[in-house]
Amino acid sequence: MYEPVIGLEIHAQLLTQTKLFCGCSTAYGNPPNSLTCPVCLGLPGALPVLNHEAVVMAAKLALAVKAKIHLRSLFSRKNYFYPDSPKGYQITQYQHPLATEGHLRIAEDGSPKTIGIERINLEEDAGKSIHDGRPESSEKTYLDFNRSGVPLLEIVGKPEISSPSEAVEFLQLFRTTLQYLEICSGNMEEGTFRCDANLSVRKRGTQKMGVKTEIKNINSFRFLQKALEYEARRQIELIISGKTIKQETRSWDEHQNKTLPMRSKEEAHDYRYFPEPDLPPLVIPEKLVKRIKTTLPELPQEKIERFKQKYKLPLYNAKILSASRDLADYFEKTAIASKNPKQSSNWIMRDVLQYLKEENMEISQFPLPPEYLAELILLVKKKEISLSMAKEKLFPRMTSTRKRAVEIVKEEELSQISDPCQIEKLALKIIKRNPRSVQQYKGGKAQVLSFLVGQVMKETKGTANPLLVNKVLKQTLNKLK
Ligand code: ZN
Ligand code: MN
């Protein structure tokens, strides 16, 4: 039996205001080439100046993944020609990266596992080539340099991942970590978070690594899973049929659902790295690292653990509720205000998330503040309204009107009738109205009771407490003997 050995390389665009080596804005979606200057256009003689904000953000990540920050690191030139990289090289880090030897823990539910991070580099992004393949445009390529010089973190993970689903879990946790640190939007569609994956296979239980292939530019978790599954299968089949695996760069074709080799021209790498002569060594004062350390937020893994302990949530719930800082805050505020973490978790995981999905919204746009949801939970707890009433009527009414639950209950007289005397009166009314059903019931047809309960519920527009109606009706019917 064979097993895959997987390593990920991640590129994360930093949320700085300006580019890595010039003062141009990093904003997304502006007219092509409107955010450029001689530095990021690579004009001769223009000199780079390092953006301090990017260094702070890089250090944040390094601390969060417990990597060793090197107080002195170097920038290098990675030489290659590409139309969207007008300098003919990329400024990156090579021999002396900013940080090395970090890790993230995954799979807390099954067998927890630590995946190593080899290095974290600070580097600049390239521009964008836009290929217009329409025959009438004679297949032109346009160049947009707005992205040229935008700061990136390049994170090289160790080949310690042993399945496609583990790779997805690692990448998801990594993205959440960046988002918690507020240093990357993690938007895969806009390409601010992307990954390359390398994969080889080996006989289970052996240590010797097989020949690896690299899959470039994966921009969704689903594609990562599918591409790795396909590639592992492809390599195993090659080995079994006695063929050799070629070390190469491949890309995922989402239409054909397979990985395909990229043109060999694009993989002929001889980057001739050398130290960037226009930039001094990057020196980070130890004091600054200490200060950054004090600004770190609670990280996803820590939050999940705390939610499990403090609110007695199952791991599954704790994970989902910690998917973003905003969602976690929303849950926590609701849990505290309602003094009912379990119901808060249930409501948010079902009704709130469902609503957000349907409306295509983020939790920050959700119309109800946590206190409102907490009030709704309390009304149900105090049995002033039934759970079904809360779910089917109140919640939708609250989200559409942004009103508090009590207001709507008052306006629409929705409050649950749970006064036995009042229900008895109603029961007698219904009994009088349905003599035949009563006779059937007396004659032993017990299921008629639910019909009568339904009649009382209908009479009260669903506001009576159904359990109580059931009980009172039974008693009243039996008294009729
Ligand atoms: Zn610029
Ligand atoms: Mn890179």
Side-chain angles (χ1 to χ4, degrees), residues 384-446:
E384 288 185 27
I385 48 166
S386 65
L387 185 62
S388 59
M389 172 77 70
K391 280 190 184 294
E392 283 149 33
K393 275 207 170 151
L394 267 177
F395 183 78
R397 210 64 63 86
M398 287 169 75
T399 47
S400 62
T401 61
R402 293 170 185 253
K403 283 184 183 165
R404 306 182 100 102
V406 276
E407 261 183 275
I408 297 171
V409 167
K410 220 174 173 182
E411 277 173 17
E412 310 195 10
E413 297 176 341
L414 292 177
S415 94
Q416 177 162 277
I417 303 171
S418 44
D419 170 7
C421 286
Q422 202 178 343
I423 290 178
E424 199 182 340
K425 263 186 224 157
L426 283 163
L428 282 168
K429 191 168 152 191
I430 295 300
I431 285 169
K432 219 180 239 173
R433 215 187 272 165
N434 297 282
R436 199 194 282 165
S437 304
V438 172
Q439 221 151 38
Q440 284 173 335
Y441 180 77
K442 295 263 153 198
K445 250 185 138 184

Side-chain angles (χ1 to χ4, degrees), residues 27-57:
Y28 183 81
N30 283 67
N33 298 310
S34 60
L35 307 174
T36 55
C37 75
V39 174
C40 56
L41 285 174
L43 300 188
L47 290 174
V49 177
L50 181 61
N51 181 344
H52 177 76
E53 205 189 355
V55 177
V56 171
M57 289 182 178

Side-chain angles (χ1 to χ4, degrees), residues 19 21-25 35-41 145-146 148-149:
K19 294 185 181 179
F21 298 117
C22 63
C24 294
S25 164
L35 307 174
T36 55
C37 75
V39 174
C40 56
L41 285 174
F145 292 108
N146 283 355
S148 169

Side-chain angles (χ1 to χ4, degrees), residues 9-11 78 90 92 121 123-124 152-154 196:
E9 185 176 317
I10 300 164
H11 282 93
K78 179 181 183 178
Q90 176 195 29
T92 178
N121 297 326
E123 66 179 26
E124 58 179 344
L152 294 178
L153 284 182
E154 178 184 71
D196 307 331

